[in-house]
Amino acid sequence: MNVIETNNLTKLYKNNRGIKNISLTVEKGDVLGLLGPNGSGKTTAMKAILNLVRAEGAVKIFGMNLHNDFEKIMLRTGALIESPAIYKDLTAYQNVKMHAAMYPDVTKERIEHTLRAVHLLQYKDDKAGRFSLGMKQRLGLAIAFVSEPELIILDEPVNGLDIEGVVEVREIIRRLNEEKGVTFLISSHMASEIEKTCNKVAVMYESELIAFSSTEDALRLHPSLEDYFLAVVKDKRGDVVI
């Protein structure tokens, strides 16, 4: 089953940045990475998929029309886009609880389990305004995970994390995918992170989707995902080697 389907998704801003004709399919159980430099359109694509910006084209999630069935889709979807939506005067626990109130049957135990998974349980009674950038990012992940969604969309999820935090987030994604079958759409400008986390990769460059491959196939033809990215960008630009 296709969890996400986009058809000619287009959203251009006044500076002519955004996305152009993005047609993308994310299958159930995929961990798909959107790989591209800053400004390539990754965040805009995710916002359009989540209806956070109005875009031309069509989006289906779980086979449902994004605009007609938005509430049903969101009950099955978690997301972290750009900076986490955190209330500084609330504690970590209160922040997660407030977001969890939008979903049925989220218990205190599940909130604490989610905070434990992102290594914030010991700070559950601390106000989020005192958190470091990395801790705020972990709290944003807890908010995205707490409803136990079938689809999770993460925009640069390891931004601001130290090495241990990066590894921990990677392991959480892998565990949710392998044990619970959660489908992920993840963006990153770091090829190495996509390589270690995702089973499929979509390359975005200058607002367009220019390549799509399984990570396995990309690595069969290139030493690393970084080399794969450079090769498809070079092909897109028509660079000539002299």
Side-chain angles (χ1 to χ4, degrees):
M1 183 185 81
N2 293 332
V3 175
I4 300 175
E5 296 177 71
T6 73
N7 185 28
N8 293 325
L9 204 57
T10 299
K11 171 66 178 181
L12 292 175
Y13 300 102
K14 291 182 179 179
N15 60 6
N16 210 37
R17 287 189 174 184
I19 52 174
K20 303 174 187 175
N21 301 317
I22 303 296
S23 295
L24 183 69
T25 298
V26 184
E27 297 179 348
K28 182 176 175 59
D30 275 349
V31 182
L32 174 62
L34 289 182
L35 175 62
N38 295 330
S40 61
K42 304 186 301 297
T43 299
T44 299
M46 289 182 157
K47 285 182 174 180
I49 288 170
L50 290 166
N51 203 30
L52 297 176
V53 296
R54 285 285 182 175
E56 298 176 9
V59 179
K60 285 186 176 182
I61 301 180
F62 303 115
M64 296 181 284
N65 181 280
L66 177 65
H67 302 295
N68 297 341
D69 299 294
F70 181 74
E71 290 185 8
K72 292 180 181 178
I73 290 169
M74 289 301 103
L75 285 174
R76 300 167 65 182
T77 303
L80 174 59
I81 305 295
E82 294 185 322
S83 300
I86 291 171
Y87 293 88
K88 296 179 180 180
D89 292 332
L90 298 182
T91 67
Y93 181 90
Q94 290 168 335
N95 266 282
V96 180
K97 181 180 179 181
M98 186 180 67
H99 285 83
M102 296 184 290
Y103 303 95
D105 305 322
V106 178
T107 63
K108 175 184 177 182
E109 288 73 23
R110 191 194 297 177
I111 294 172
E112 291 188 344
H113 174 78
T114 305
L115 286 169
R116 183 181 295 109
V118 297
H119 296 270
L120 284 181
L121 185 60
Q122 61 182 315
Y123 306 108
K124 71 173 186 175
D125 296 321
D126 293 354
K127 288 189 176 181
R130 300 172 184 167
F131 284 2
S132 66
L133 176 61
M135 291 174 72
K136 289 177 181 177
Q137 191 74 357
R138 291 171 192 258
L139 184 55
L141 291 170
I143 290 168
F145 296 160
V146 71
S147 64
E148 296 187 342
E150 300 169 53
L151 167 66
I152 299 178
I153 298 175
L154 301 174
D155 184 22
E156 302 276 1
V158 298
N159 181 43
L161 297 181
D162 57 22
I163 294 173
E164 289 182 344
V166 169
V167 173
E168 288 164 1
V169 169
R170 192 187 305 146
E171 290 176 349
I172 291 170
I173 292 169
R174 186 177 296 121
R175 185 170 68 249
L176 289 173
N177 176 253
E178 293 177 355
E179 296 179 3
K180 297 184 179 294
V182 177
T183 302
F184 284 87
L185 176 62
I186 301 171
S187 77
S188 182
H189 62 277
M190 297 184 293
S192 60
E193 195 54 38
I194 296 292
E195 182 175 328
K196 293 173 182 176
T197 307
C198 303
N199 71 314
K200 292 182 180 177
V201 56
V203 176
M204 294 195 65
Y205 188 74
E206 293 184 346
S207 305
E208 297 182 49
L209 178 63
I210 64 171
F212 185 94
S213 174
S214 70
T215 305
E216 182 180 3
D217 285 347
L219 294 176
R220 187 179 295 120
L221 299 173
H222 302 86
S224 68
L225 216 53
E226 182 178 284
D227 291 284
Y228 169 74
F229 171 81
L230 293 172
V232 297
V233 168
K234 180 179 177 181
D235 185 61
K236 166 69 177 176
R237 295 190 309 206
D239 290 353
V240 177
V241 178
I242 299 176

